[in-house]
Amino acid sequence: METRKIEENVEAKRQSLLQRMSGALAASFLFGRARALYEENRLHWNMPLNKWQKLYVGTYMILRDYAQGVFPPVFEDQQKAYQAEMDKLKNLEGTTLEIQQTAVLTKPFWGSRTFLKYARGFSRLWGVIEGLGVRPASRFLELGCGAGWMAEFFGMAGYHVVGTSIAPDEVAMAQKRVAALEAKGCGGRVSYAVGPMESVREIVDGEFDVVYVFEALHHAFDWRQAIESAYHCLKPDGWLVLASEPNVLHTYISYRTARLSNTHEIGFSKRELIEGLKAHGFKDVRALAPRWNNLVSQHWIVARK
Ligand SMILES: C[S@@+](CC[C@H](N)C(=O)[O-])C[C@H]1O[C@@H](n2cnc3c(N)ncnc32)[C@H](O)[C@@H]1O
């Protein structure tokens, strides 16, 4: 008992020493420029920063917050986390809600390089789904659909899709795509609904051939609950596809944007995703990517009900 107390004391002291060192480093001349960039970025979400500046500012914020005991982030209040995701576009500094909504509505057409990135993501997801033997006219459910571009693309490809997001204003924007699809002769295939993915089974009817989530599971307050809810939305033998979900280092790499936008940006380990899927009853769990787990590349995982 006594030894354990001493060990705990030593551990507490060691932690606080590390925290003190982090704080001193963050306050040192080495991070002077990072502090200035951070102060500017804090007031201007869209401030242009190159890759190295993002890394530099992010490292400063991690050191500073680790010293204060708030890094790594812990999310305990579900309602607060949900609200923050819903209010994201409203709360960004140095920009307007209108600018942000236009940006989200025009996704993935943000410029040639960004378009290529998202077009590749869509094409890869489509390829994965086709590789599972799923064909047009099948029913898809999308979790965390944002303003709904991917559901619209799948609708144009002949699938029936229900896109869902926690944010009512995103879904309101997504609804505009329903008329756009009709104009393109693809009406009646896509609809959108508001609700957290953790309880998605309560807001959609019927069963789906595929449930997919693209770059959004890591925003969930409780991703395990989201997986469980997705399981109940699938037909027997239906597929869940986790597409382009971030790897472990995302928690560090995206800490700057997470803090500035007040959203949930966490990275997953391949093992926790696979174990989580199996624990919720999924079989035939296949990790398609990355082939070599480098802790950075996004996860692409499929699992069958
Ligand atoms: C990075 S965005 C990705 C959006 C979309 N998949 C895309 O590619 O444009 C993350 C999305 O997850 C949504 N989201 C966050 N938490 C959620 C939750 N608990 N349930 C459902 N959607 C959520 C956000 O509102 C946002 O639409």
Side-chain angles (χ1 to χ4, degrees):
M1 196 65 177
E2 199 51 31
T3 328
R4 216 172 82 198
K5 253 196 173 152
I6 293 169
E7 276 171 5
E8 277 171 9
N9 268 341
V10 170
E11 181 60 23
K13 274 194 185 138
R14 192 182 303 140
Q15 272 186 348
S16 66
L17 177 65
L18 212 62
Q19 284 178 312
R20 282 204 300 273
M21 282 165 59
S22 293
L25 199 56
S28 76
F29 73 96
L30 290 173
F31 285 92
R33 179 82 189 117
R35 288 194 296 275
L37 287 172
Y38 164 73
E39 285 304 330
E40 237 182 290
N41 194 192
R42 197 166 62 82
L43 303 174
H44 299 282
W45 167 255
N46 285 332
M47 176 183 170
L49 291 171
N50 66 35
K51 201 162 64 178
W52 301 112
Q53 286 173 322
K54 286 177 186 169
L55 205 64
Y56 184 41
V57 177
T59 308
Y60 156 69
M61 291 169 75
I62 288 172
L63 289 169
R64 179 201 65 183
D65 289 0
Y66 177 72
Q68 288 167 10
V70 291
F71 181 88
V74 181
F75 303 90
E76 281 168 342
D77 186 331
Q78 185 189 60
Q79 214 37 54
K80 240 173 142 177
Y82 279 179
Q83 201 58 49
E85 290 288 339
M86 288 190 255
D87 291 344
K88 175 186 163 178
L89 299 184
K90 289 182 208 140
N91 289 342
L92 299 174
E93 295 289 343
T95 178
T96 64
L97 179 60
E98 214 181 356
I99 291 174
Q100 290 308 312
Q101 284 181 332
T102 307
V104 174
L105 193 60
T106 46
K107 189 176 181 180
F109 301 100
W110 284 343
S112 53
R113 289 188 63 183
T114 322
F115 174 73
L116 260 183
K117 173 184 175 277
Y118 284 110
R120 284 195 188 112
F122 170 73
S123 149
R124 186 172 184 179
L125 178 54
W126 190 4
V128 165
I129 290 173
E130 281 219 313
L132 298 171
V134 181
R135 295 288 174 260
S138 302
R139 283 196 87 211
F140 292 0
L141 171 64
E142 178 172 357
L143 311 179
C145 71
W149 71 274
M150 204 170 236
E152 183 187 10
F153 279 29
F154 274 123
M156 287 192 282
Y159 298 91
H160 290 255
V161 193
V162 180
T164 63
S165 167
I166 195 169
D169 54 351
E170 284 181 344
V171 170
M173 286 186 274
Q175 300 285 10
K176 297 183 182 177
R177 298 178 191 272
V178 174
L181 280 163
E182 254 165 51
K184 287 181 260 197
C186 310
R189 295 185 195 156
V190 176
S191 61
Y192 296 96
V194 181
M197 60 180 96
E198 288 89 337
S199 48
V200 70
R201 61 199 282 204
E202 292 164 23
I203 58 159
V204 293
D205 293 323
E207 292 179 325
F208 294 84
D209 300 283
V210 171
V211 177
Y212 68 88
V213 51
F214 178 82
E215 296 185 351
L217 187 66
H218 65 288
H219 280 271
F221 174 74
D222 186 339
W223 64 269
R224 289 184 173 83
Q225 211 182 326
I227 280 178
E228 190 193 350
S229 204
Y231 183 89
H232 292 285
C233 294
L234 282 167
K235 290 180 184 168
D237 283 329
W239 290 93
L240 173 65
V241 184
L242 309 185
S244 196
E245 288 300 335
N247 214 318
V248 173
L249 290 183
H250 186 78
T251 309
Y252 300 83
I253 295 167
S254 289
Y255 188 63
R256 182 186 63 85
T257 49
R259 276 302 299 265
L260 295 178
S261 64
N262 194 25
T263 57
H264 203 270
E265 294 276 4
I266 52 144
F268 297 116
S269 74
K270 177 176 164 180
R271 182 196 276 191
E272 69 181 330
L273 285 176
I274 290 178
E275 285 179 358
L277 288 163
K278 288 183 178 165
H280 287 96
F282 283 97
K283 56 193 182 196
D284 209 353
V285 180
R286 304 180 204 164
L288 309 176
R291 255 190 241 160
W292 173 70
N293 197 4
N294 52 20
L295 308 182
V296 176
S297 304
Q298 283 89 349
H299 298 288
W300 287 74
I301 298 178
V302 298
R304 195 146 55 98
K305 179 170 177 177

